[in-house]
Amino acid sequence: EKPAKETAYVFSGNLSYLTYNYKGRKMTDMIEDELKSGAYIRVLCRVNMSSITNIEKVSHLLIKYPNQFEIRHRYQPLRGVLVDSKYARFRNEERVENYREGELDKTARIYYEITSSEWISWLESVFWNMWRSSIPYDRRLKEIQKIGGTNYNLFSQPH
């Protein structure tokens, strides 16, 4: 919702947010606008068979902005974004099937907005700790190719 002017650090699962539109605009177009304005975007997500389709949606941006836009593989439970060291928004989904009958009427999404400088600083430390020990997406894709025999060439797709 609030575009990044300097940095966006994203905690994602399988990049499903790339399939969303916001106010009639594709998420990939919004990401490119941030990159064009000079922002740096770092994404932690699962790079696996189910997320490859979503990575393909931004492969042209990974090629066009290699120093500004990076994706790394990491299983982690958080879903959210830190923007410009000033703002964070996280989402938690409570699924009805994870509860006993009668405990939850329907699946609920809970959003958390954080502006506390202490919390933002701590969350950035968490992000960078995960980032340092994560695997670049292209290396993870090569490993998937070795075991699955499928050829994913996200490095030369025209857009």
Side-chain angles (χ1 to χ4, degrees):
E1 291 181 27
K2 295 181 181 181
K5 292 178 177 66
E6 299 170 13
T7 59
Y9 304 136
V10 181
F11 296 92
S12 184
N14 65 0
L15 297 173
S16 62
Y17 73 93
L18 294 175
T19 65
Y20 302 155
N21 288 332
Y22 181 73
K23 294 185 179 181
R25 294 198 64 217
K26 290 181 185 178
M27 188 62 66
T28 53
D29 292 341
M30 294 170 67
I31 290 169
E32 185 161 20
D33 287 348
E34 291 176 340
L35 293 167
K36 282 179 183 176
S37 72
Y40 290 82
I41 300 173
R42 307 290 183 256
V43 180
L44 286 170
C45 68
R46 294 186 310 268
V47 177
N48 58 22
M49 301 300 279
S50 69
S51 65
I52 289 172
T53 302
N54 291 329
I55 294 171
E56 288 173 342
K57 290 175 174 62
V58 292
S59 62
H60 65 291
L61 299 176
L62 291 162
I63 294 166
K64 191 173 180 179
Y65 302 95
N67 297 323
Q68 285 176 256
F69 187 40
E70 294 181 68
I71 296 174
R72 289 196 178 187
H73 167 70
R74 173 135 187 154
Y75 279 87
Q76 51 80 31
L78 300 172
R79 303 294 178 263
V81 62
L82 299 163
V83 179
D84 293 335
S85 299
K86 296 177 184 170
Y87 171 84
R89 184 167 192 209
F90 284 85
R91 182 193 72 164
N92 185 43
E93 189 168 275
E94 298 293 337
R95 296 181 164 270
V96 70
E97 60 265 20
N98 294 338
Y99 288 83
R100 291 185 188 143
E101 189 174 331
E103 285 185 327
L104 187 64
D105 292 337
K106 62 182 181 177
T107 296
R109 287 192 176 132
I110 303 162
Y111 293 93
Y112 302 89
E113 294 186 5
I114 302 165
T115 56
S116 162
S117 60
E118 293 85 9
W119 275 101
I120 298 295
S121 178
W122 181 79
L123 286 164
E124 285 181 337
S125 294
V126 169
F127 180 88
W128 284 111
N129 187 43
M130 289 183 186
W131 183 264
R132 281 190 294 275
S133 61
S134 63
I135 302 167
Y137 87 98
D138 52 342
R139 187 166 16 145
R140 172 74 173 174
L141 282 176
K142 289 175 185 171
E143 293 303 315
I144 291 171
Q145 287 174 335
K146 287 179 186 176
I147 59 172
T150 308
N151 185 17
Y152 296 103
N153 188 359
L154 301 182
F155 310 107
S156 61
Q157 291 192 5
H159 287 276

